[in-house]
């Protein structure tokens, strides 16, 4: 893609890149039609011209290819810039996002609108750090989450989010459902719930995780990759409804109720059918129907359950049932953090089962593997596999306090550092040094539909370093952020998760330990207090005596921090220096 952009001035799909025998690009473009027209060569004509030119002027082409590779290498290793020393890049990113914010429908920019949950996570951290008397940053987050959930991009029958919205209103989605989108969106809704306590966001999480459990989970616990947008040869057919289909599924009274809540009409909003959406706030819908909101939600839950049963009888979209290490890492992170924050042990257990599967099936003597399907693990892991899985394992450790997840996170992330780090200039290459057929080892930090490997590695490494008190690991994370200082100066809004890592790096490590006592009820109440609220920079652990002893060899700062006369005790630490404990 870098070659396409350099040669043609723009990128895009599909792309065609012509290489010399030693795999250096010398000509590239995007779409070429089957036949030449409007001054644009057709693909067969292009092939003839390339073949003729290469046969007659090979030396010139190879020299041109060498120059292009040098240009790409310079792009992937920009000139040095001053490392960020304060919150200026985070403030600049928040301002950049505010300029592109859609105050009516939420989100940033115009259609098609893609969810970028990391931008919302960044805004919440910047708000927490600086205060926001007008709550402008929280307003951007809440409006975006509200309109995505109410729109058709959210599956109001089965839970979970589609890939993106084709319009400004989040109404008509591209109906494909991806594991990574739902993991990252779950983290954004969770953090917004921690800030606001809004029950709608808890419901979104529950319904999304229910969908993952029902439709996206292998029998042994790992997570599948995606659901296709099409069924029966048509995009979205599985998900849309006509008034007649509602009546057949619900009967006339409940169909009229569902049509009023979900704005279902004879004309439809998508090719003669209806994408279900909450065009009005639920409180407004309740008032229009003469109900209070609780009564509306009770009836709506029963209607949704019957619609789901009716929909299950339809031909289903195809399931992409491969297990990807990287995307599983993201869902492990979401389930673990949400399970701990909301006291949902079932979510924690799902995260454990997935992590066990990845450890058993995708890690072995040859190192971490990228994908698994039908009993076969294949392909050497990439940077993002190490980064996303390491992130998930760090979250699972913090959520459970179990030493095995700390050890697994440590191994995965250190292997990633050894294979991918640019030890000279900082940051991480996208491919290892021993990858075959590479002409350039490139580095990238752009956080698009998923975080970049560089952003996720920096984010996970600083979390791990702050648990272990490992200054060397923290320095690796810091060098990764500093390596992209020029990009952060030019376009900070493009790197939200990298800036979340910087947010943590700018402050000394913080830890809160809940030393559990003998009273189970008191322990549970103390856990809820420990997890309450939004405190993303602080490591929060709840440990009994056995778990604490198991961790002390790696985390010596835990020594001596016990319960208080059998009651749970809270130890609040800054840079591993702790205040006197208080009972909970």
């Amino acid at each position: 893609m870098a070659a396409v952009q350099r040669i043609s001035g723009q990128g895009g799909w599909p792309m065609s890149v012509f290489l010399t025998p030693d795999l250096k690009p010398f000509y590239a473009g995007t779409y070429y039609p089957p036949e030449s027209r409007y001054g644009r060569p057709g693909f067969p004509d292009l092939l003839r011209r390339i073949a003729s030119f290469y046969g007659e002027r090979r030396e010139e082409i190879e020299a041109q290819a060498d120059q292009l590779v040098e240009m790409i290498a310079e792009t992937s290793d920009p000139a040095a810039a001053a490392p960020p020393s304060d919150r200026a890049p985070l403030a600049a990113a928040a301002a950049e996002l505010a300029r592109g914010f859609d105050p009516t429908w939420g989100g940033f920019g115009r259609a098609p609108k893609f969810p970028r949950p990391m931008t919302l996570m960044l805004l919440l951290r910047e708000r927490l750090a600086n205060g926001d008397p007008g709550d402008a940053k929280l307003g951007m987050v809440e409006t975006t989450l509200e309109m995505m959930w109410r729109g058709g991009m959210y599956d109001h029958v089965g839970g979970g989010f589609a890939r993106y919205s084709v319009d400004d209103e989040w109404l008509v989605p591209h109906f494909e459902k991806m594991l990574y989108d739902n993991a990252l969106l779950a983290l954004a809704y969770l953090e917004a719930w921690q800030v606001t306590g809004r029950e709608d966001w808890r419901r979104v999480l529950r319904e999304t995780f229910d969908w993952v459990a029902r439709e996206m989970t292998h029998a042994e616990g790992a997570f599948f990759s995606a659901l296709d947008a099409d069924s029966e040869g048509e995009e979205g057919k599985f998900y849309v409804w006509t008034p007649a289909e509602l009546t057949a599924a619900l009967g006339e009274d409940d169909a009229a109720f569902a049509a009023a809540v979900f704005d279902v009409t004879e004309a439809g909003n998508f090719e003669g059918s209806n994408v279900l959406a909450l065009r009005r706030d639920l409180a407004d819908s309740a008032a229009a129907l003469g109900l209070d909101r609780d009564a509306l939600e009770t009836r709506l839950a029963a209607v949704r359950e019957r619609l789901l049963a009716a929909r299950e009888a339809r031909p289903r979209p195809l399931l992409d049932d491969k297990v990807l290490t990287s995307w599983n890492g993201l869902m492990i992170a979401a389930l673990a953090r949400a399970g701990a924050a909301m006291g949902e042990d079932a979510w924690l257990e799902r995260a454990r089962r997935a992590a066990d599967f990845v450890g058993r099936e995708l890690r072995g003597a040859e190192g971490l593997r990228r994908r698994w399907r039908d009993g076969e693990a294949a392909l050497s892991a990439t940077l993002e596999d190490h980064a996303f899985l390491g992130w998930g394992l760090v979250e699972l450790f913090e959520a459970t306090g179990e030493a095995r997840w700390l050890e697994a996170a440590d191994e995965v992330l250190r292997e990633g550092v050894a294979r991918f780090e640019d030890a000279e200039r900082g940051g991480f290459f996208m491919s290892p040094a021993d990858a075959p057929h590479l002409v350039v080892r490139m580095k990238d930090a752009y956080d698009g539909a998923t975080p970049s490997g560089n952003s996720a590695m920096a984010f996970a490494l600083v979390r791990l370093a702050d648990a272990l008190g490992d200054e060397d690991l923290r320095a690796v994370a810091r060098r990764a952020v500093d390596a992209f200082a020029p990009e952060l100066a030019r376009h900070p809004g493009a790197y939200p998760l990298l800036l979340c890592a910087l947010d943590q790096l700018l402050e000394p490590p913080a830890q809160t330990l809940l030393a559990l006592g003998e009273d189970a009820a008191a322990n549970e109440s103390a856990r809820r207090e420990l997890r309450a609220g939004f405190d993303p920079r602080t490591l929060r652990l709840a440990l009994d005596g056995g778990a604490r002893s198991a961790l002390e060899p790696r985390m010596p700062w835990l020594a001596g921090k016990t319960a208080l006369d059998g009651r749970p005790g809270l130890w609040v630490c800054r840079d591993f220096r702790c205040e006197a404990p208080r009972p909970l």
Side-chain angles (χ1 to χ4, degrees), residues 379-401:
L379 307 179
S380 181
T382 64
L383 172 62
E384 71 173 28
D385 293 309
H386 286 271
F388 295 1
L389 179 60
W391 178 7
L393 293 169
V394 169
E395 296 286 358
L396 188 53
F397 162 66
E398 183 174 355
T400 65

Side-chain angles (χ1 to χ4, degrees), residues 455-467:
S455 295
M457 277 292 285
F459 186 76
L461 281 169
V462 69
R463 298 285 308 281
L464 178 63
D466 288 356

Side-chain angles (χ1 to χ4, degrees), residues 14 96 112 116 132 137 164 177 199 242 282 294 314 325 357 368 390 405 416 427-428 516 522 532 556:
E96 184 180 323
R116 288 187 69 213
D132 188 3
K137 297 181 184 70
Y164 62 86
K177 281 183 172 182
E199 283 301 305
T242 64
L282 286 177
D294 287 345
R314 297 176 176 179
T325 298
F357 183 100
L368 189 64
W405 306 125
F428 300 92
L516 299 174

Side-chain angles (χ1 to χ4, degrees), residues 10 13 31 72 118 127 204 230-231 235 316 325 430 485 495 552 568:
Q10 61 185 8
W13 306 101
Y31 174 70
I72 294 171
M118 294 83 74
R127 173 183 179 269
V204 168
D230 295 3
S231 59
E235 180 170 351
R316 294 188 57 80
T325 298
M430 297 170 68
Y495 308 95
E552 280 183 25

